[in-house]
Amino acid sequence: MRLLLAIALTHIAGRGRQTIVSILGVALGVGFSIAMAALMVGSQRDFTETLIDAVPHVRITDETRTTPRQPASEAFAAVAYSGLRPVPDPRGILNPTRVLAGLRSWVDGSMVATLQVEAVVRFAGIDMGVALMGVEPLDELRVSTIAGDMTTGRFEDLIGAGFAVIIGERLAERLGAGINDLLTITVAGGNARQFKVTGLFRTGSVQQDERVVYTTLKRAQVLANRPEAINEIRIRLADIDSAPLVAARAEAMLGIKSVSWQESSEDLLNAFEIRNVIMFTVVGAILLVAGFGIFNIVSIITHEKARDIAILKSIGFPPADIRGIFLFEGLVMGGSGALLGCLLGFGLTEVLGSIAFEFRRNTELTHLPVVYEAAHYVMASALAMLAAGIAGYLPARSAARLNPVDIIRGAT
Amino acid sequence: MSPAAPLVEARGVTRVLAGAVPVTLVADIDLAIGRGELTAITGPSGSGKSSLLYLLGLLDLPTTGEVLIDGRETSAMAENERAEFRLATLGFVFQFHFLLPEFSACDNIMIPMRRLGRLDAAARRERAESILASLGLAEHGHKRPDQLSGGQRQRVAVARALANDPPLILADEPTGSLDSQSSEQVFDILKTLVERDGRTVVAVTHDLDLADRMHRRIHLVDGRITEDRPAGGRASPGPTISPAGRRGAGPPADAADQRLP
Ligand SMILES: Nc1ncnc2c1ncn2[C@@H]1O[C@H](COP(=O)(O)OP(=O)(O)OP(=O)(O)O)[C@@H](O)[C@H]1O
Ligand SMILES: [Mg+2]
């Protein structure tokens, strides 16, 4: 075995420059694959974390997945009706105290009951449509990341502040309002009242910063003229992977729509799947190209060294040994390439991870999210070795089949 | 002489290269070579001398007929078995030296030993050096083939053929590319291998003087044996003066040569 390796090494050494080129080919393939995987997986993880932080793990709303059946459908087997007045749906989660107590008994996590109503905010003659969120401030803090998004004031300031609201900075800019200003908020079918701005937040999402207005649950209920009503429960779970189960159980229990974060971000998660498929295709293609480099050089060597093959065969080396020599050559190149590629991949990941971006003023620098995972290195190296093995084996097989007599006749 | 237990035997060996126009390399070869014989194969260029040697050396397989070594039929052997057999039993010397260019003379000689695996590293080196010394190459073991002269290379090739101490040496024009002095040297080595070590040597040669100084001479024409007769070299270490007119195809007049003491 060591003899075969020694012979293989002299062949490689005799083709130094090409060998280095093909080793570099493998190294680049492995290195870029690793760096790419580090970035892909890193950004995916970073994104999911931000996403999971930003959305409730389970959101229970007062909607149903199908339109409610009208009493008329129960009574008559008709296909269509006309002139029928549907029974008005009072909306809202009925009996919120009991529902919350029921959920709290088995859900491992925090939850916040919300009354969310469409409202119009008026300040200095400007009207803006907003979603008024009535929440228990302390519960809200346990479920969402709003505390970290506050730019002026604290979220807890809502407690005991009377008719107070916390609004997004963008909304404040649009209205031209600032802290301590009085806004007039009107709810359709309810009353109009003046609310004082006690805090500002900025989440980075335009949708939220421009449209969401927080107040206490009580004030929202008063304003909407719907005492005791809530229409949304948001849950933050200790174990995010249990979200689909919790949602399913809550839906079965309450008969209203409960959506897990996985369901609400399905499109995004699918996009990640597709991204991963693309990544593996590209990685595979890179390594395939690297494999061709090895195939090329080993083929050249088998042609160049045809006489050596004939010599070894005439001495009494069996075909398996000849195959072994050229397979070794492929594997040595693949192995050194993989090793070099791991170093390169690590270096590239380091460099990528140190690149800083400044998205907004007055915020800390954001770095490209990268991960260091042994599995990436092992997998890229294994793939490179596989490619190198195949690339070495194919010419090795034809070299082993050479008839020494043909070569000797040709040479003399 | 009648070989009681021939080391190499060919029975009705014919080798035809398949193709649009089949080429017959050798035909109907019946041949038995005994132990301790120094046999020359002669014949005009293209007469099939090399082809016959490859067949006897199991590098090539007969189309019909059978090659026996030590009484064993070789056609039924698997390829690996044949390779193993070549490794331990046969030493091949080619017209062109055919050494591995990247390895030193000593390493070249040790390659068959390493493959056979009977000796450990120290014993291999010792044996390689003693073979080199016996061929007058004691100082050249560390040199690569391209640092040696043609005659030295050819002797290294002989040394490599001897590496695993095979009973049978097959040499294809071992002196073909050498000057007369180097040829003489290589010929003497071959002769010593037979007469001192009791090996069997079959050598293809163009040099009829050399052929006549061997024990036996087999003449090929168009792939067939036209002549198989004792030559003048048996057990006579001194130079044998060849009578004039030896180059003719007819049987030689000195049939008594082989019976010299
Ligand atoms: N691959 C081949 N295709 C066709 N004919 C071939 C092939 N190889 C050898 N021959 C023919 O076979 C015959 C025998 O060749 P071989 O090499 O055995 O001759 P030789 O006696 O060794 O000649 P030389 O003394 O020149 O070495 C020659 O006529 C040669 O032309
Ligand atoms: Mg020849």
Side-chain angles (χ1 to χ4, degrees):
Chain A
M1 236 26 188
R2 284 191 31 217
L3 174 60
L4 302 186
L5 191 57
I7 295 172
L9 289 179
T10 64
H11 288 177
I12 292 177
R15 276 271 166 191
R17 198 180 301 170
Q18 270 132 310
T19 303
I20 288 171
V21 168
S22 38
I23 288 178
L24 281 183
V26 177
L28 285 178
V30 170
F32 280 120
S33 312
I34 289 173
M36 195 154 126
L39 197 59
M40 287 288 211
V41 173
S43 64
Q44 178 173 345
R45 207 168 284 174
D46 183 68
F47 208 95
T48 344
E49 266 164 28
T50 332
L51 174 90
I52 292 168
D53 250 10
V55 301
H57 299 163
V58 177
R59 169 186 245 128
I60 302 171
T61 54
D62 64 342
E63 294 159 39
T64 47
R65 285 185 192 261
T66 51
T67 40
R69 281 166 72 78
Q70 293 296 326
S73 343
E74 309 285 344
F76 312 103
V79 177
Y81 315 96
S82 63
L84 194 73
R85 232 185 97 202
V87 174
D89 183 0
R91 301 286 268 180
I93 298 169
L94 303 172
N95 216 339
T97 332
R98 227 191 61 205
V99 166
L100 280 172
L103 285 172
R104 285 210 166 94
S105 69
W106 59 269
V107 173
D108 180 16
S110 329
M111 59 193 72
V112 59
T114 311
L115 177 65
Q116 186 184 332
V117 287
E118 291 298 316
V120 174
V121 176
R122 161 174 293 208
F123 180 76
I126 303 170
D127 283 345
M128 295 281 294
V130 298
L132 183 70
M133 307 268 285
V135 295
E136 291 294 353
L138 292 179
D139 285 345
E140 177 70 24
L141 285 174
R142 259 177 249 129
V143 169
S144 77
T145 52
I146 189 75
D149 295 327
M150 294 300 295
T151 54
T152 312
R154 296 179 313 143
F155 199 75
E156 301 91 301
D157 292 347
L158 282 177
I159 303 168
F163 283 90
V165 286
I166 289 173
I167 64 173
E169 275 191 353
R170 289 186 83 99
L171 180 62
E173 276 168 30
R174 295 282 297 266
L175 293 170
I179 200 96
N180 288 331
D181 283 340
L182 287 174
L183 313 176
T184 306
I185 303 184
T186 315
V187 172
N191 316 313
R193 282 206 95 105
Q194 290 210 313
F195 284 75
K196 193 167 111 184
V197 179
T198 58
L200 299 172
F201 65 84
R202 170 158 224 152
T203 61
S205 142
V206 177
Q207 175 71 10
Q208 292 215 18
D209 293 350
E210 218 172 74
R211 261 190 56 83
V212 173
V213 172
Y214 286 101
T215 186
T216 56
L217 182 57
K218 264 257 113 51
R219 304 296 166 194
Q221 286 169 342
V222 169
L223 185 69
N225 216 354
R226 291 169 71 182
E228 300 297 320
I230 64 166
N231 56 11
E232 183 182 79
I233 299 171
R234 281 170 293 137
I235 304 176
R236 182 180 191 83
L237 292 167
D239 173 19
I240 59 166
D241 292 327
S242 67
L245 283 173
V246 172
R249 193 167 158 190
E251 183 156 339
M253 209 175 88
L254 305 172
I256 48 177
K257 195 171 169 189
S258 308
V259 178
S260 65
W261 67 269
Q262 285 96 331
E263 189 185 338
S264 61
S265 349
E266 209 180 341
D267 287 350
L268 200 66
L269 295 179
N270 285 345
F272 277 133
E273 284 298 288
I274 291 169
R275 216 169 71 134
N276 283 343
V277 169
I278 293 172
M279 175 179 89
F280 282 117
T281 313
V282 172
V283 166
I286 295 175
L287 289 174
L288 194 69
V289 171
F292 269 116
I294 293 182
F295 176 81
N296 196 25
I297 173 87
V298 177
S299 299
I300 291 175
I301 292 176
T302 57
H303 282 117
E304 240 175 22
K305 293 294 176 185
R307 215 178 64 188
D308 287 25
I309 297 170
I311 296 170
L312 292 171
K313 279 195 135 183
S314 72
I315 288 175
F317 282 67
D321 282 15
I322 309 296
R323 267 200 303 276
I325 288 172
F326 293 99
L327 193 60
F328 265 140
E329 290 175 19
L331 289 179
V332 164
M333 289 185 225
S336 0
L339 205 70
L340 218 64
C342 284
L343 295 178
L344 181 70
F346 184 80
L348 274 175
T349 311
E350 286 275 276
V351 170
L352 286 174
S354 70
I355 295 176
F357 294 92
E358 205 179 339
F359 284 124
R360 278 179 248 147
R361 269 174 302 138
N362 311 327
T363 52
E364 77 251 64
L365 295 179
T366 314
H367 289 273
L368 276 184
V370 292
V371 292
Y372 296 91
E373 247 178 63
H376 293 165
Y377 293 75
V378 172
M379 230 161 60
S381 303
L383 271 176
M385 289 298 270
L386 184 75
I390 295 171
Y393 181 78
L394 295 178
R397 201 179 48 171
S398 45
R401 287 204 194 119
L402 282 179
N403 184 356
V405 171
D406 292 341
I407 297 159
I408 294 163
R409 279 207 184 103
T412 45
Chain B
M1 90 173 230
S2 58
L7 182 59
V8 196
E9 201 181 341
R11 289 187 189 155
V13 167
T14 299
R15 175 74 169 103
V16 180
L17 282 183
V21 185
V23 181
T24 302
L25 302 178
V26 293
D28 303 324
I29 303 288
D30 283 297
L31 186 65
I33 294 170
R35 284 161 211 280
E37 261 193 319
L38 175 57
T39 305
I41 297 179
T42 57
S45 184
S47 56
K49 306 181 292 296
S50 300
S51 303
L52 177 58
L53 210 63
Y54 300 147
L55 288 163
L56 297 180
L58 309 185
L59 282 176
D60 200 6
L61 292 178
T63 311
T64 57
E66 180 71 64
V67 174
L68 297 95
I69 296 202
D70 238 350
R72 281 191 64 188
E73 298 192 353
T74 56
S75 63
M77 286 180 176
E79 190 167 4
N80 282 348
E81 204 181 345
R82 238 186 336 261
E84 198 67 31
F85 201 80
R86 272 205 298 276
L87 188 65
T89 319
L90 285 172
F92 236 105
V93 183
F94 296 98
Q95 173 172 5
F96 186 71
H97 64 82
F98 264 12
L99 299 170
L100 292 187
E102 294 94 351
F103 289 83
S104 72
C106 208
D107 287 336
N108 261 291
I109 296 168
M110 287 193 290
I111 284 172
M113 301 185 205
R114 288 175 73 172
R115 180 66 189 85
L116 191 64
R118 277 191 200 145
L119 301 175
D120 63 28
R124 284 198 295 260
R125 183 155 293 276
E126 196 179 323
R127 176 167 171 77
E129 274 164 5
S130 86
I131 296 174
L132 278 172
S134 74
L135 300 182
L137 290 166
E139 280 100 68
H140 303 286
H142 64 279
K143 290 185 182 167
R144 283 202 321 267
D146 57 6
Q147 296 166 321
L148 294 167
S149 76
Q152 289 168 334
R153 271 181 230 158
Q154 204 60 343
R155 279 182 282 156
V156 174
V158 174
R160 187 184 59 194
L162 293 172
N164 286 332
D165 198 17
L168 176 61
I169 307 280
L170 301 174
D172 191 358
E173 304 195 36
T175 62
S177 58
L178 303 181
D179 61 31
S180 61
Q181 199 188 337
S182 300
S183 311
E184 203 60 41
Q185 218 169 5
V186 171
F187 174 77
D188 285 344
I189 291 166
L190 294 180
K191 208 165 165 83
T192 315
L193 291 178
V194 173
E195 288 172 359
R196 193 194 64 199
D197 304 344
R199 286 177 225 271
T200 309
V201 173
V202 180
V204 170
T205 182
H206 268 121
D207 186 331
L208 297 187
D209 286 336
L210 281 188
D212 277 332
R213 286 155 59 194
M214 300 195 189
H215 298 168
R216 177 179 178 188
R217 185 179 148 182
I218 293 167
H219 193 77
L220 283 184
V221 174
D222 287 340
R224 290 172 194 274
I225 298 178
T226 56
E227 204 184 340
D228 179 0
R229 61 173 176 83
R234 178 164 294 268
S236 52
T240 308
I241 309 300
S242 308
R246 171 65 50 84
R247 270 154 223 271
D254 56 344
D257 266 12
Q258 55 145 344
R259 283 187 289 277
L260 287 174

